[in-house]
Amino acid sequence: MQLQASKYTIVNNDFLPATEASLKITDLGLQRGYGIFDFFKIIDGEVKFLEDHLDRFYNSAAQMHLPVDKTSDELKAMLFELMKKNDLPESGIKITLTGGYSPDGYTIAKPNTIITQQALMLNKGDITPGIKLITYSHQRQLAHVKTLDYLMAIWLQPLIKENGADDVLYHSHGIVRECPRANFFIVTQNNEVITTATNILKGIVRKQLLNIKDSGFTITERDITIEDLHQCKEAFITSSTKNVLPVIAIDGKAIGKGVAGDVSIQLAAKLKVLLG
Amino acid sequence: MQLQASKYTIVNNDFLPATEASLKITDLGLQRGYGIFDFFKIIDGEVKFLEDHLDRFYNSAAQMHLPVDKTSDELKAMLFELMKKNDLPESGIKITLTGGYSPDGYTIAKPNTIITQQALMLNKGDITPGIKLITYSHQRQLAHVKTLDYLMAIWLQPLIKENGADDVLYHSHGIVRECPRANFFIVTQNNEVITTATNILKGIVRKQLLNIKDSGFTITERDITIEDLHQCKEAFITSSTKNVLPVIAIDGKAIGKGVAGDVSIQLAAKLKVLLG
């Protein structure tokens, strides 16, 4: 199925034809990879967890010394106008804030704001067969900020493919961190659900899962070791596009029975209710 | 003195007015900070160490899985045409290669090549009063590749200024690495000159210094520890724009007598001959 193209993109205060949206090459995002973004999805025309995403967007900007020249309400008004113009009820919106047009190519200038919308074949919370991961020793820099830095993630794509895997799981000195665009969870033999706690980007779906009161499970934030991966019964990742996505193998070894586990399936169902 | 503006910038095969050069926002350089570059200077209309820089450019591209659609000779022909059109005898040229216009914002596409030229007030090799550094624990990712990733370098600017310093010196687990845009050297009490050896970008001026046969000093590549910084007699950094630049203080403590040292001055003079 061909997805519908987005008609408009916002660059600063202008609604531009999406295919023409551009930035001058002096932008510090392009020159030095300096900028932040956030991404959220729209299901049946409704933005999911918008306040959480905007909170994180403003927090990322502040952490990176990037002033945002719009209030949250102004940004929302622009988002809603873009959604109306584009009319893509199943889609994702990405707000990017860059270091701006820097005269010396190094100093932060007035940030540029880009808002793009893209039609998506969205998983609305249904469970999928699961994915395979490889592990790789890497600690994301400024991990708690949603920066533009995906250098390692993209650089590792050939290695991921060579190993017949779908994504990479970063670890640092034996402590598991995250996937490039998703948080990581395990289920222990005692049905304890654990998600990594330190030096990670805290995702919005992760936060939603931690906040569910009646999940029937104890979800704990604490360090997961590489050793824990060999002992766990289930594993899954979470993200705005992936929801709860079972991990069925890591580094070529099956997790549990090598299929989506019961706890993962039940948590995916709980999340689906929230997304409803 | 107002520096003369560059008239033209190359984007792929087009010579564009420099103020208008732009890339579409889907470029993976902007979306994910994915790309490489090299930078070299022009003194009295002559490119310095061009072959070294082009070798490193092609090597960076290969390391990052980015195909270059021009041979070295084709690239040189474009460079020389740009230099002729811009007529900036004292300047710097930056060649950037990005991940290209990626349909999914994540997969490498056909790279975009950007070549900019900028008039510079160039130091032609004369010694300067010296700079102050602070140290910071950070290991550049894919350190041997000249990537667009300067996230930490720019993020650290306020901390550098708060400490009354000029730049930052990265170290990792007690081993000194490099400055964001320069290599690092010390001179020991025995007049041994040492430059850091591992997990760094190997600069072209660093290479030129290592290749000088008659410098009168032994220059050795090996690990420098944080402890070595407290013992050394002199320190300096090297880069294409900075040449040999003495370091007179690190973390608020004077190096040697807190002024440019004799060995630094002599090596700066040797480099100046090469630049002549």
Side-chain angles (χ1 to χ4, degrees):
Chain A
M1 180 182 123
Q2 182 72 32
L3 288 170
Q4 200 184 334
S6 176
K7 289 191 280 285
Y8 293 98
T9 287
I10 300 175
V11 178
N12 296 319
N13 295 310
D14 301 322
F15 288 76
L16 304 174
T19 53
E20 290 172 24
S22 61
L23 282 189
K24 289 183 187 173
I25 57 162
T26 56
D27 188 88
L28 217 51
L30 183 68
Q31 291 291 326
R32 304 290 179 180
Y34 200 84
I36 59 108
F37 73 106
D38 223 292
F39 175 87
F40 39 86
K41 65 184 170 185
I42 293 159
I43 302 180
D44 298 333
E46 193 185 325
V47 188
K48 297 299 168 184
F49 312 133
L50 179 57
E51 295 301 330
D52 286 330
H53 285 285
L54 288 181
D55 284 353
R56 188 172 64 181
F57 174 78
Y58 279 94
N59 183 57
S60 291
Q63 294 280 341
M64 293 278 280
H65 324 303
L66 295 173
V68 185
D69 67 355
K70 289 172 186 62
T71 65
S72 180
D73 282 345
E74 288 167 345
L75 209 47
K76 270 186 246 180
M78 293 187 80
L79 289 176
F80 292 138
E81 194 177 340
L82 184 71
M83 286 167 62
K84 200 173 162 188
K85 281 175 180 282
N86 279 334
D87 189 24
L88 298 169
E90 313 290 314
S91 57
I93 285 186
K94 183 175 177 176
I95 310 186
T96 303
L97 189 73
T98 72
Y101 297 140
S102 176
D104 66 358
Y106 208 68
T107 309
I108 292 172
K110 184 181 185 302
N112 286 308
T113 308
I114 307 165
I115 310 178
T116 56
Q117 185 172 17
Q118 191 175 14
L120 292 177
M121 290 279 285
L122 280 175
N123 178 328
K124 296 183 186 181
D126 294 311
I127 200 82
T128 62
I131 60 164
K132 297 173 183 179
L133 302 179
I134 58 168
T135 59
Y136 195 84
S137 173
H138 175 62
Q139 172 58 58
R140 285 180 54 245
Q141 54 189 341
L142 302 178
H144 58 297
V145 184
K146 200 162 173 73
T147 73
L148 300 180
D149 170 27
Y150 286 75
L151 199 69
M152 286 302 290
I154 292 168
W155 183 73
L156 285 169
Q157 289 305 311
L159 184 71
I160 293 167
K161 286 187 182 65
E162 278 163 30
N163 283 276
D166 303 288
D167 208 344
V168 59
L169 178 61
Y170 296 141
H171 64 91
S172 175
H173 302 288
I175 308 295
V176 174
R177 300 299 184 204
E178 59 196 326
C179 295
R181 299 187 287 182
N183 289 119
F184 183 75
F185 293 70
I186 58 169
V187 183
T188 68
Q189 298 294 334
N190 305 326
N191 277 354
E192 195 192 3
V193 185
I194 304 168
T195 187
T196 62
T198 53
N199 294 342
I200 58 165
L201 183 78
K202 294 187 175 175
I204 305 304
V205 170
R206 175 184 182 276
K207 179 183 171 181
Q208 294 292 331
L209 277 191
L210 284 168
N211 283 348
I212 295 176
K213 298 296 175 210
D214 64 341
S215 74
F217 303 99
T218 309
I219 306 184
T220 310
E221 297 178 83
R222 69 167 162 81
D223 283 347
I224 295 171
T225 66
I226 288 285
E227 184 59 25
D228 290 332
L229 299 181
H230 303 141
Q231 313 292 338
C232 69
K233 201 169 73 168
E234 299 180 28
F236 61 89
I237 63 173
T238 60
S239 84
S240 287
T241 50
K242 300 179 184 84
N243 301 306
V244 170
L245 179 56
V247 174
I248 58 174
I250 299 178
D251 289 334
K253 287 174 216 149
I255 299 292
K257 300 196 176 82
V259 295
D262 290 341
V263 178
S264 306
I265 291 169
Q266 289 176 59
L267 286 172
K270 292 282 181 187
L271 179 67
K272 190 175 178 179
V273 173
L274 286 181
L275 290 169
Chain B
M1 180 181 124
Q2 183 71 34
L3 289 170
Q4 201 183 334
S6 175
K7 289 191 279 287
Y8 293 97
T9 288
I10 300 175
V11 178
N12 296 318
N13 295 310
D14 301 321
F15 288 75
L16 304 176
T19 52
E20 289 171 24
S22 62
L23 283 189
K24 289 184 188 173
I25 58 163
T26 56
D27 188 88
L28 217 51
L30 184 67
Q31 291 291 326
R32 303 291 179 180
Y34 200 84
I36 60 106
F37 74 106
D38 223 292
F39 175 88
F40 39 86
K41 64 183 171 186
I42 292 158
I43 301 181
D44 298 333
E46 195 185 322
V47 187
K48 297 299 167 183
F49 313 133
L50 180 58
E51 295 300 330
D52 286 329
H53 285 286
L54 288 180
D55 283 353
R56 189 171 64 179
F57 175 78
Y58 279 94
N59 183 56
S60 291
Q63 293 282 342
M64 293 279 279
H65 324 303
L66 294 173
V68 186
D69 67 356
K70 289 171 187 62
T71 65
S72 180
D73 282 344
E74 288 167 345
L75 209 47
K76 270 187 247 180
M78 294 188 80
L79 288 176
F80 293 140
E81 193 177 341
L82 184 70
M83 286 167 62
K84 199 172 163 190
K85 281 175 180 280
N86 280 334
D87 189 25
L88 297 169
E90 313 291 314
S91 56
I93 285 186
K94 183 174 177 177
I95 310 186
T96 304
L97 188 73
T98 72
Y101 297 139
S102 176
D104 66 358
Y106 207 69
T107 308
I108 292 171
K110 182 179 186 305
N112 286 308
T113 308
I114 307 166
I115 310 179
T116 57
Q117 186 173 16
Q118 189 174 17
L120 290 178
M121 289 278 284
L122 280 176
N123 178 328
K124 295 182 186 182
D126 294 311
I127 199 82
T128 63
I131 60 163
K132 298 173 182 179
L133 302 179
I134 58 169
T135 59
Y136 195 84
S137 172
H138 175 62
Q139 172 58 59
R140 286 180 53 246
Q141 53 190 340
L142 302 177
H144 58 298
V145 185
K146 200 163 174 71
T147 72
L148 301 180
D149 171 26
Y150 286 75
L151 199 67
M152 286 303 289
I154 292 167
W155 184 73
L156 285 170
Q157 290 305 312
L159 185 71
I160 293 167
K161 285 188 183 65
E162 277 163 31
N163 283 277
D166 303 289
D167 209 343
V168 60
L169 178 62
Y170 296 141
H171 64 93
S172 175
H173 301 288
I175 307 296
V176 174
R177 300 299 183 203
E178 60 195 326
C179 295
R181 299 187 286 182
N183 287 119
F184 183 76
F185 293 69
I186 59 170
V187 182
T188 68
Q189 297 295 336
N190 306 326
N191 277 354
E192 194 191 3
V193 185
I194 305 168
T195 186
T196 61
T198 52
N199 294 343
I200 57 165
L201 183 79
K202 294 187 175 176
I204 304 305
V205 171
R206 175 185 183 278
K207 179 183 172 182
Q208 294 292 331
L209 278 190
L210 284 167
N211 283 349
I212 295 175
K213 298 294 177 214
D214 65 342
S215 73
F217 302 99
T218 311
I219 306 184
T220 310
E221 296 178 83
R222 69 167 161 82
D223 284 346
I224 294 172
T225 66
I226 288 284
E227 184 59 26
D228 291 332
L229 299 182
H230 302 141
Q231 314 291 337
C232 69
K233 200 170 74 169
E234 299 181 28
F236 61 90
I237 63 174
T238 60
S239 84
S240 287
T241 51
K242 299 178 184 84
N243 302 304
V244 170
L245 179 55
V247 174
I248 58 173
I250 299 178
D251 290 334
K253 287 174 215 150
I255 299 292
K257 300 196 177 82
V259 294
D262 290 341
V263 178
S264 306
I265 290 169
Q266 290 176 58
L267 286 172
K270 291 282 181 190
L271 180 67
K272 190 175 179 179
V273 174
L274 287 181
L275 289 169

